[in-house]
Amino acid sequence: MTINILTVCPEMFAGFEKDHVIERAVGLGLLTLRIVDIREYADGCFRKVDDSPYGGGAGMILRVQPVLDAIKAARPAGSAGPSCTAALTPAGEIFCQKTANEFSRCDVLTLVCGHYEGMDHRIYAHVDRQISIGDYVLSGGEPAAMVVADSVTRLLPGVLKKDSLLEESFSDGLLEYPQYTRPADYEGERVPEILLSGNHEAIRRWRREQAVALTRQRRPDLLN
Ligand code: SAH
């Protein structure tokens, strides 16, 4: 799979590219991550990517020309498999595990990051999806693109062990059960005895019950 991230702040992704899941996916040849600097597509000798809003108001707006030219350049050639271009915007559909699953089946996923006060509204007509990562406002789409790219990459077959994905939060409509590691006793706080019992069937049942109880308590909406 190829993930293109179109941004005016490519330097923000230096650390992200070193993340162990991303590095593993790239190393195994399962992911090509391209960080595309929108500025390289800007016309004019100043390569201006933003301008003030028509009608007045605070802040700067990403210009339509450099963003659309960057989108066109990122688009796969005709014969390629499924692809999706998504703009990150607080006005988009809320991103969830189901969307991550859908995106993970694309050959090419292109994520368009806004910045400043946002992007020229005409850009939205040229993307397939508009995605928000939650009801709050970020300074740029870059952290949102990292959220999407990370959650999609870990779903690519071969990146993680199958078991890691099977029992995770949201994978079966439930939050994950509580997890523990050594020591069994930390200053008097003990790990639930059942996990030390070696009885795999009992452990499986206990985890299921815990997952249902936690989901009922924290996220009853998931059970409906
Ligand atoms: N003025 C806009 C906010 C712009 S924030 C408004 O009020 O709606 C600048 C950029 O950050 C946006 O273009 C978008 O790409 C990104 N962004 C901000 N919040 C986001 C969110 N919750 N989800 C996804 N992207 C977001």
Side-chain angles (χ1 to χ4, degrees):
M1 174 183 203
T2 297
I3 299 181
N4 299 304
I5 299 180
L6 279 41
T7 169
V8 291
C9 293
E11 61 284 355
M12 281 181 73
F13 293 89
F16 181 68
E17 286 175 299
K18 294 200 179 77
D19 170 74
H20 78 280
V21 172
I22 299 292
E23 260 193 349
R24 184 175 152 77
V26 170
L28 290 169
L30 300 169
L31 174 72
T32 303
L33 179 63
R34 291 179 56 234
I35 309 300
V36 178
D37 187 350
I38 292 172
R39 201 172 301 275
E40 287 182 8
Y41 291 87
D43 56 13
C45 44
F46 295 112
R47 295 193 175 264
K48 213 168 135 59
V49 289
D50 59 342
D51 211 332
S52 47
Y54 275 120
M60 300 293 272
I61 307 293
L62 272 191
R63 293 174 53 225
V64 65
Q65 176 274 320
V67 176
L68 289 192
D69 282 355
I71 289 176
K72 271 181 220 146
R75 214 156 254 160
S79 60
S83 69
C84 182
T85 302
L88 282 322
T89 161
E93 56 177 300
I94 302 281
F95 188 65
C96 63
Q97 192 66 23
K98 182 169 157 272
T99 318
N101 271 304
E102 281 168 37
F103 284 171
S104 73
R105 290 190 281 272
C106 286
D107 277 353
V108 180
L109 173 65
T110 300
L111 301 172
V112 187
C113 305
H115 216 88
Y116 317 113
E117 266 309 301
M119 50 183 120
D120 189 305
H121 199 75
R122 287 168 287 189
I123 293 166
Y124 295 121
H126 298 261
V127 299
D128 307 304
R129 306 275 284 262
Q130 297 178 40
I131 298 289
S132 163
I133 60 161
D135 289 345
Y136 41 81
V137 178
L138 302 165
S139 309
E142 288 75 13
M146 290 184 212
V147 166
V148 172
D150 177 89
S151 60
V152 168
T153 300
R154 59 202 304 291
L155 291 174
L156 299 178
V159 173
L160 298 185
K161 286 201 206 102
K162 253 205 181 121
D163 298 356
S164 318
L165 296 176
L166 281 180
E167 298 195 341
E168 277 191 325
S169 292
F170 310 114
S171 57
D172 53 1
L174 296 174
L175 300 177
E176 195 186 53
Y177 47 79
Q179 297 265 38
Y180 301 86
T181 185
R182 271 174 275 272
D185 187 328
Y186 178 71
E187 298 184 355
E189 291 184 53
R190 285 194 57 77
V191 165
E193 281 314 315
I194 188 144
L195 296 178
L196 313 175
S197 69
N199 182 339
H200 295 294
E201 179 50 29
I203 291 173
R204 195 196 56 76
R205 251 185 288 122
W206 179 84
R207 285 178 163 167
R208 176 86 192 166
E209 285 159 17
Q210 293 288 316
V212 171
L214 190 69
T215 310
R216 185 162 292 136
Q217 184 197 8
R218 304 259 178 92
R219 293 292 306 277
D221 57 299
L222 294 176
L223 294 174
N224 296 331

